[in-house]
Amino acid sequence: MTTWSLRRRPGRALGLVLLGFFTLLVLRRLDWSNLTRPWLRRRQLGLQAKDQNFMLEDSTFWIFGGSVHYFRVPKEYWRDRLLKMKACGLNTLTTYVPWNLHEPERGRFDFSGNLDLEAFVLTAAEIGLWVILRPGPYICSEIDLGGLPSWLLQDSGMRLRTTYKGFTNAVDLYFDHLMPRVVPLQYKHGGPIIAVQVENEYGSYNKDPTYMPYIKKALEDRGIEELLLTSDNKDGLSSGAVDGVLATINLQSQHDLQLLSTFLFTVQGARPKMVMEYWTGWFDSWGGTHNILDSSEVLKTVSAIIDAGSSINLYMFHGGTNFGFINGAMHYYDYKSHVTSYDYDAVLTEAGDYTAKYLQLRDFFGSISGTWPATGSSTTMGPCFCSETPEEFFPDHPTSTPIDLCARMSWTRTGTPLPPPPDPLPKTAYESVTPAFYLSLWDALKYMEAPINSEQPVNMENLPVNNGNGQSFGYTLYETTIASSGVLSAFVRDRGQVFVNTVSIGFLDYKRKEINIPLIQGYTTLRILVENCGRVNYGEIDNQRKGLIGNIYLNDSPLSKFRIYSLDMKKSFFQRFSFDEWNKVPEAPTFPAFFLGALSVALSPSDTFMKLEGWEKGVVFINGQNLGRYWNIGPQETLYLPGTWLDQGINQVIVFEEKMAGSVIQFTETPHLGRSRYIN
């Protein structure tokens, strides 16, 4: 066999040298910009704030946005809600990112299923919507602790939303995992994200002047390069501004429109105006009324905002649901937790149905798209740059269906009608369910993990559960032994039902801090079932630890030797109960208790609403999905049950009831949100 070598073939070596030399000359003369994909070459500048206008590349740009939170809507319905947004004439989706749901335990991240942020953003892009991302870390959003994870409160010295080292270390770790998912979705990388918000309404908090610059730098250091925004109400606007970040304002009434010019100009001079949150309604709290904002008032204000030369985001376009235990609370004079429904009296209902607001706003935005901008104008509300396949537009997230991005991202060609609204999703009033089986909480305890033994009470966040991350949501049961009657006093957060053995004797909460223990004989078990009804999401949030806070006293003497059960009611919680453990429902059940029934669905499942007449307060689980809380004090009277969470055939229904059970569980095609109050 012949063996070739450079030494034996000197001509070969010379040829290789000459080839390398000429290759270098050719490469140096190539115009590399022409080899860049066409869609990326046209994405150089992104969204800019130039003088009094937004500019997207070379075109004046109007943001007509709407808020939808992916974590409040079943993933299977994301496309439906966003198609309805597009059909209403909006061009931009805004969404918060909830840290507490994405990092439920320190260092363990979840971006799957209903928390698949990337899939949500890409769905918006396929439909033809730009995206403004609001990643926090604090988001308010009427969600537990404003979206901050409760394990932060394990640190007794924690100072949330400051540059306290314990907080910034956690933020840095979270952003290290979140931003690599966000960066490829930015406009300049070929994605739909045109702007990113720095924190949320910090001017109303304003405890650390170095905090907002830190958040801005944390975003930029991790590759965020699109336009940065802040968002504040009138009281926090001046304090929330950050150098190099565009300030926007939140408001509701036409009376506040003067703030668009006066406050924003005072803060940042002649810059583009934007109402980041125009509140289309308002949230509800247990024991209150259902808030309503008249559709004609909404139309007038939206029209006035745009006439004032401002871009706008409708908060909310679609509110969705506080599934599970994620709702927040407010505590100004009295503590009030938010209801399960986040209907918000928004443009779409909780179930995604059309409203009078939707129809009127669609007509309004449709008239804009049909008459303005004029032919030849460089002003646009949804510019088109390209027509590629998703593989070209989002190379890291290929899809199988080609999309015409020119058509989808630009509905503003003069005279082009809006796309038709999708048909409403069907609703069904299923046959009532009569629970057949039952398990009292006291009987269920033996199937749970061993209790935590502690000399003193331990608050939820500091319980040694969930890999050392404490308990975030649900209930906690405290047990100890007493030998006398008297006055029991405790600092309970938020609501504690007190039992002597298994007999309920009343509640402790923010207003009721003492309760009389009746005469007892010998040693008796004292039990307190404490519910986290929702951590405050706006205002003072450092003191939002839940459970029993500090010692509990009987006749001014501290009690000790506690057994503590963590009842977080996750999916794994119910897996401990095999069918053999359930009993038939007795005539006089012992409460609290779990009730088990079966919902039969013969055909393709549809959305429905559960009505629990005769039941008092508790939580409902369907096929392991936590639908949220119900409470007969209102205003909410039904729970939204998405059809996509039902199976054709038999569906498991579990109700945890604290005090009084009805005989049946009813289903209806329409929601009942209770007594209404018009917002002034």
Side-chain angles (χ1 to χ4, degrees), residues 480-488 499-500 505 515-526 553-559:
T480 190
T481 302
I482 58 174
S484 65
S485 60
V487 178
L488 184 77
F499 301 85
V500 174
I505 61 171
I515 193 170
N516 289 318
I517 302 295
L519 289 173
I520 59 174
Q521 293 182 350
Y523 291 102
T524 301
T525 300
L526 174 73
Y553 298 88
L554 180 59
N555 298 327
D556 297 326
S557 295
L559 299 176

Side-chain angles (χ1 to χ4, degrees), residues 131-191:
V131 176
I132 295 177
L133 197 69
R134 311 174 80 185
Y138 165 84
I139 61 173
C140 183
S141 185
E142 289 72 61
I143 193 174
D144 188 275
L145 203 60
L148 301 178
S150 63
W151 46 256
L152 290 168
L153 299 175
Q154 291 182 320
D155 181 349
S156 61
M158 176 58 63
R159 288 181 285 124
L160 301 171
R161 304 180 73 190
T162 70
T163 51
Y164 174 70
K165 199 65 175 173
F167 184 68
T168 57
N169 285 344
V171 172
D172 288 341
L173 177 63
Y174 171 54
F175 276 8
D176 284 344
H177 283 76
L178 173 63
M179 294 310 155
R181 299 173 181 274
V182 173
V183 166
L185 301 174
Q186 294 181 104
Y187 173 90
K188 292 172 186 173
H189 292 251

Side-chain angles (χ1 to χ4, degrees), residues 4 11 41 110 127 139 148 164 188 233-234 243 305 324 369 391 526 552 583 585 640 657:
W4 297 99
R41 286 204 309 272
D110 185 1
I127 287 169
I139 61 173
L148 301 178
Y164 174 70
K188 292 172 186 173
N233 58 36
K234 61 181 180 181
D243 288 343
I305 289 171
S369 89
E391 289 78 2
L526 174 73
I552 179 171
N583 307 304
V585 178
Y640 171 54
E657 168 58 50

Side-chain angles (χ1 to χ4, degrees), residues 293-312:
L293 184 60
D294 188 78
S295 60
S296 61
E297 181 68 21
V298 169
L299 183 61
K300 288 178 185 177
T301 306
V302 169
S303 178
I305 289 171
I306 294 172
D307 286 346
S310 173
S311 286
I312 188 173

Side-chain angles (χ1 to χ4, degrees), residues 99-109 149 151 170 173-174:
W99 180 9
N100 58 347
L101 303 185
H102 285 300
E103 193 180 359
E105 297 177 8
R106 192 183 294 267
R108 183 176 72 82
F109 297 90
W151 46 256
L173 177 63
Y174 171 54

